[in-house]
Amino acid sequence: MPTKTAFETLRELTPTISVGILTADLLSLGSEVSLLEQQTDVKLIHFDVMDGCFCPMMTVGPPLIKAVRTRLLKDVHLMIERPEAKAAEYAAAGADIITVHVESCVHAHRVLQVLGKMTNANDPERGLIRGIGLNPGTPLEFIESLLDELEMVVLLAVNPGWGGQQFIESTRRKLEKARQMIADSGKDILLCVDGGIKRENIAEVAAMGPDIVVTGSAVFDGKAPVQNAKLMLEAVRS
Ligand code: DX5
Ligand code: ZN
C-alpha cells in the first residue's frame, strides 16, 4: 500500500484541531505531548516560531521541533522574517506542515515553489503541506494568485505575538470569503484559523467552517490539557 501523504491524512481528519504549544510548560513538553497522543484523538501539534523581528517575541527553533518525539503531525507556523532562508532547517527538523506569512515574503510565490520541492524528513513519501499565513490586517486578495502553490490557508484571528489573545471579529467575514475563494479556485485547499479560540467561542468558530482550528492556551492552561483537548476536539466535530 502506498504511504498516505500528509495532506491526505489531514484531509481525512478534518475538521480537527491543531494544538499550539506556546503556553505549554516547555520543561514538560515531551510528556504533555505524549499524553495528548495516547489519550486523545489529537493528531496535529502547532509550533509557533517567532523571531523577535516579524513579531515581538522570540520562541522556538528547529532543535526543539526535532526534539519532540511524536507521531503527531508537526504543524510549523513560521512568524519570521525571510522564511525562505530558514525553511529547509524546519523541514529537516521534521515539519509536516510549514506555514510562511505572506507579509514576510518579498517573493511569496517563489518561496512556496521552493517549499514544494522540499522533502518531509519523517518520510519522503509523506510530502510537505505548504501553508500561507495572513495577519488580521492583510486582505485576502494578497493570496489569490498563490493558490496554485499551496495546500493550506491560515487566517490569523489575532496579531502574531502571543498566546491567549482575544479573537478579532473581522476574521468571521474573512473566513467566509476565504471559503468562497477556495471553492472558486476548484482546488482542495485546507482552511485553518489560528488565535483566540477558546472554550467559549470554539463552537461559533467551528460553525464558520474551517478545516483546522489552532488552539493553544485553551488546551495548555496549566490545568488539564487532555480534558481540554478532548473538549475542543469534540466542539469542532459536532
Ligand atoms: C499567535 C499564534 C497562535 C496563538 C494560538 O501569534 O500564531 O498560534 O499562539 O494561541 P491561543 O489559542 O492561545 O490564541
Ligand atoms: Zn500559530
Side-chain angles (χ1 to χ4, degrees):
M1 267 249 292
T3 319
K4 267 191 207 152
T5 64
F7 183 87
E8 287 163 348
T9 306
L10 197 46
R11 182 41 97 199
E12 281 175 18
L13 291 168
T14 57
T16 194
I17 61 170
S18 185
V19 174
I21 60 146
L22 202 55
T23 59
D25 174 3
L26 286 190
L27 293 181
S28 47
L29 187 61
S31 53
E32 305 256 287
V33 170
S34 18
L35 279 181
L36 290 180
E37 192 176 316
Q38 285 155 20
Q39 298 184 17
T40 76
D41 283 342
V42 169
K43 300 287 186 226
L44 276 172
I45 175 157
H46 183 94
F47 294 91
D48 284 310
V49 178
M50 305 185 188
D51 61 356
C53 299
F54 179 70
C55 57
M57 209 173 41
M58 282 178 85
T59 58
V60 301
L64 185 116
I65 292 165
K66 188 170 185 182
V68 176
R69 292 187 196 288
T70 179
R71 283 198 306 273
L72 304 183
L73 293 177
K74 292 180 175 175
D75 170 16
V76 177
H77 180 188
L78 297 181
M79 287 166 282
I80 62 176
E81 282 182 3
R82 301 197 56 235
E84 68 277 11
K86 299 274 185 235
E89 289 176 42
Y90 288 92
D96 292 287
I97 303 175
I98 297 183
T99 296
V100 294
H101 267 259
V102 69
E103 304 87 357
S104 72
C105 300
V106 179
H107 297 289
H109 191 275
R110 185 186 297 156
V111 175
L112 290 165
Q113 282 180 318
V114 170
L115 278 180
K117 295 199 176 81
M118 286 181 192
T119 315
N120 188 321
N122 304 295
D123 175 353
E125 289 184 29
R126 223 196 271 177
L128 267 176
I129 296 175
R130 297 169 291 176
I132 196 83
L134 275 96
N135 286 336
T138 307
L140 266 181
E141 286 69 22
F142 275 55
I143 62 161
E144 207 162 355
S145 51
L146 302 175
L147 296 182
D148 286 338
E149 291 293 341
L150 52 84
E151 288 73 44
M152 182 163 98
V153 169
V154 181
L155 299 187
L156 274 271
V158 297
N159 287 300
W162 296 274
Q165 301 182 75
Q166 183 107 20
F167 186 87
I168 295 171
E169 281 304 318
S170 58
T171 314
R172 183 189 284 277
R173 283 194 304 281
K174 214 167 171 184
L175 262 168
E176 192 50 54
K177 276 175 80 176
R179 270 207 319 186
Q180 196 52 54
M181 190 174 84
I182 291 171
D184 291 347
S185 77
K187 283 200 69 196
D188 189 9
I189 292 173
L190 297 159
L191 181 57
C192 172
V193 57
D194 180 7
I197 300 142
K198 321 232 163 55
R199 206 176 275 225
E200 298 73 41
N201 62 353
I202 189 154
E204 208 184 321
V205 173
M208 300 173 203
D211 298 301
I212 299 159
V213 171
V214 177
T215 173
S217 54
V219 172
F220 290 113
D221 62 353
K223 293 177 195 148
V226 166
Q227 282 91 324
N228 291 339
K230 283 184 176 168
L231 203 135
M232 298 301 270
L233 197 51
E234 215 169 282
V236 293
R237 284 172 168 175
S238 56

